[in-house]
Amino acid sequence: GQNIDQPTEMTATEGAIVQINCTYQTSGFNGLFWYQQHAGEAPTFLSYNVLDGLEEKGRFSSFLSRSKGYSYLLLKELQMKDSASYLCAVTDNFNKFYFGSGTKLNVKP
Amino acid sequence: AAGVIQSPRHLIKEKRETATLKCYPIPRHDTVYWYQQGPGQDPQFLISFYEKMQSDKGSIPDRFSAQQFSDYHSELNMSSLELGDSALYFCASRGTEETQYFGPGTRLLVL
């Protein structure tokens, strides 16, 4: 089976840095995705990791350790518009997505 | 860049009625996924199609069916609607790369 865990909710201050963790146990692994989802809107693709290490894309970075079944999404210079849910998703060998329950990030002034 | 198109964006139906949701994938994407997302929940995979053939099946009720057409658009047909079917329905498309790109969703309300 598939088991993906992320914190339910986090709060951070505008301008700060926040790290959202995701741990997974899957029967197969073909990559890990991070999506941002504002309430009532579609998930928006942020990052894709298939190899160990850090992928940086502007203010957002994503890290993967396959041996530990662990990933994190790092958001720098937080802005109010970053308040959203962040979904961790893992794909198996058949490219089927398994989503975590999402982390609701609240950015405060 | 062209994105995934879904129609309608909003739909109100009564119990026991039928509904058809449409999805137009990104050009040259040959794989379509359907998800159902209830309030405060993560997207639940329903069904997927690759090259017009069903490729995988998730938690799709027997009352629902779907297909992908020759132009790669897909339709999700929902019959005997129940109150619990009220949700956001997302379609996502994928090409040769691994990433799924989500459409804006159809918000279905069953009264």
Side-chain angles (χ1 to χ4, degrees):
Chain A
Q2 321 295 342
N3 189 27
I4 302 171
D5 288 318
Q6 17 177 166
T8 303
E9 192 164 357
M10 300 180 69
T11 300
T13 306
E14 191 176 14
I17 300 173
V18 70
Q19 177 174 313
I20 303 174
N21 296 323
C22 171
T23 58
Y24 64 90
Q25 291 177 306
T26 56
S27 55
F29 180 81
N30 199 30
L32 187 144
F33 293 82
W34 284 96
Y35 283 84
Q36 179 193 61
Q37 186 177 27
H38 287 97
E41 298 182 10
T44 303
F45 168 73
L46 290 178
S47 68
Y48 169 60
N49 293 70
V50 66
L51 300 176
D52 291 350
L54 187 68
E55 294 279 343
E56 296 188 76
K57 194 185 290 186
R59 294 190 298 115
F60 294 1
S61 303
S62 58
F63 172 83
L64 175 67
S65 169
R66 289 172 297 170
S67 62
K68 296 181 179 178
Y70 167 70
S71 172
Y72 68 72
L73 179 69
L74 193 71
L75 293 79
K76 304 175 188 175
E77 301 169 15
L78 279 173
Q79 302 175 9
M80 298 299 293
K81 67 178 182 179
D82 297 331
S83 292
S85 286
Y86 291 85
L87 301 170
C88 171
V90 174
T91 55
D92 63 12
N93 295 332
F94 302 98
N95 289 317
K96 187 172 181 176
F97 266 41
Y98 298 92
F99 282 94
S101 297
T103 298
K104 185 179 179 183
L105 175 65
N106 303 302
V107 180
K108 296 191 171 181
Chain B
V4 178
I5 297 171
Q6 291 187 247
S7 68
R9 294 294 309 278
H10 302 271
L11 191 58
I12 300 175
K13 291 285 185 178
E14 297 197 353
K15 281 170 47 179
R16 292 180 290 278
E17 285 192 321
T18 61
T20 298
L21 309 186
K22 296 184 179 182
C23 169
Y24 298 85
I26 292 171
R28 291 181 296 281
H29 280 196
D30 51 16
T31 307
V32 168
Y33 303 81
W34 285 98
Y35 293 88
Q36 177 193 61
Q37 187 174 28
Q41 298 179 359
D42 57 290
Q44 295 295 312
F45 171 70
L46 294 178
I47 195 167
S48 63
F49 292 87
Y50 168 68
E51 282 291 344
K52 293 154 280 185
M53 299 285 290
Q54 180 181 309
S55 54
D56 200 359
K57 196 172 183 179
S59 53
I60 184 170
D62 292 339
R63 300 176 289 110
F64 293 6
S65 65
Q67 57 182 323
Q68 185 179 32
F69 295 86
S70 58
D71 63 352
Y72 295 104
H73 94 271
S74 178
E75 295 183 3
L76 177 67
N77 299 296
M78 311 160 72
S79 62
S80 303
L81 286 169
E82 302 174 356
L83 296 179
D85 296 330
S86 296
L88 264 172
Y89 290 84
F90 290 110
C91 166
S93 78
R94 185 173 70 90
T96 55
E97 58 182 44
E98 304 299 328
T99 304
Q100 291 186 22
Y101 294 92
F102 284 77
T106 295
R107 184 176 294 278
L108 173 65
L109 178 61
V110 181
L111 303 176

